[in-house]
């Protein structure tokens, strides 16, 4: 059996001191996460984070920086995830857009509120990405090469 990580993207979006999170149904119950999801075949990391943010939150997102690259092994599922977290800006909002299946709502929370809900995060990466963003972690998108 060949091992391979599950490649995911996430959007770390801050507005007026609050961060965009999603409340969603998961196999572990209702959890909080950033707009995030799996990279699809023939899709760039940038296209994936734009798509996932729109599908899950109804916000249009323009990535500007890479916040970090994270490897996390979810013991319960025996899966390893490789997450590329991006920060950027919102360019539009579609209030009447239907959200992806399982998404309850998109909401804005302060760092204190996010820390207080840590037991309900989908993974430890939710808070880690926010803490890295708050610590000023910003890397140029040119760090990533999509070679065809």
């Amino acid at each position: 059996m060949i091992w391979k990580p599950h490649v995911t993207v996430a959007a770390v979006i801050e507005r007026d001191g609050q961060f965009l999170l999603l409340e969603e149904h998961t196999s572990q119950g209702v959890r909080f996460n950033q707009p995030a999801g799996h990279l699809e075949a023939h899709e760039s990391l940038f296209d994936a984070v734009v798509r996932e943010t729109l599908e899950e939150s109804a916000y249009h997102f323009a990535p500007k920086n890479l916040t970090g690259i994270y490897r996390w092994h979810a013991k319960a599922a025996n899966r390893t995830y490789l997450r590329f977290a991006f920060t950027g800006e919102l360019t539009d909002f579609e209030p009447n857009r239907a959200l992806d299946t399982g998404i309850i709502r998109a909401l804005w929370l302060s760092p204190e509120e996010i820390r207080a809900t840590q037991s309900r995060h989908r993974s430890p990466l939710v808070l880690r990405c926010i803490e890295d963003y708050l610590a000023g972690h910003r890397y140029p998108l040119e760090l990533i090469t999509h070679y065809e």
Side-chain angles (χ1 to χ4, degrees):
M1 181 171 144
I2 298 175
W3 174 87
K4 66 176 185 171
H6 295 259
V7 178
T8 62
V9 294
V12 180
I13 303 167
E14 184 265 337
R15 182 178 74 185
D16 300 325
Q18 296 187 313
F19 290 87
L20 179 63
L21 289 187
L22 307 170
E23 193 172 26
E24 60 184 345
H25 293 286
T26 73
S27 59
Q28 298 90 26
V30 175
R31 299 284 188 228
F32 291 109
N33 198 9
Q34 280 101 1
H38 290 267
L39 178 68
E40 294 181 0
H42 309 292
E43 183 177 46
S44 75
L45 293 165
F46 309 132
D47 290 342
V49 74
V50 168
R51 175 185 53 76
E52 288 289 353
T53 302
L54 180 60
E55 290 174 354
E56 295 188 346
S57 72
Y59 283 98
H60 290 260
F61 176 67
K64 299 296 181 192
N65 295 99
L66 180 69
T67 303
I69 302 169
Y70 307 85
R71 180 207 165 272
W72 175 61
H73 183 75
K75 291 179 185 174
N78 194 28
R79 286 188 177 162
T80 300
Y81 294 91
L82 187 61
R83 174 187 261 207
F84 292 79
F86 296 91
T87 188
E89 58 191 44
L90 298 176
T91 59
D92 200 3
F93 178 60
E94 297 181 31
N96 298 319
R97 183 183 179 91
L99 303 181
D100 264 0
T101 302
I103 304 295
I104 299 167
R105 65 184 172 139
L107 66 162
W108 294 91
L109 297 174
S110 69
E112 295 78 23
E113 291 169 317
I114 294 167
R115 290 181 191 111
T117 61
Q118 191 171 355
S119 66
R120 293 185 54 216
H121 291 178
R122 182 137 190 195
S123 82
L125 298 180
V126 174
L127 182 57
R128 176 61 192 264
C129 289
I130 299 233
E131 297 292 6
D132 286 352
Y133 173 89
L134 291 170
H137 295 206
R138 311 280 193 289
Y139 305 98
L141 295 181
E142 294 79 19
L143 190 67
I144 300 171
T145 300
H146 292 99
Y147 187 80
E148 297 296 329

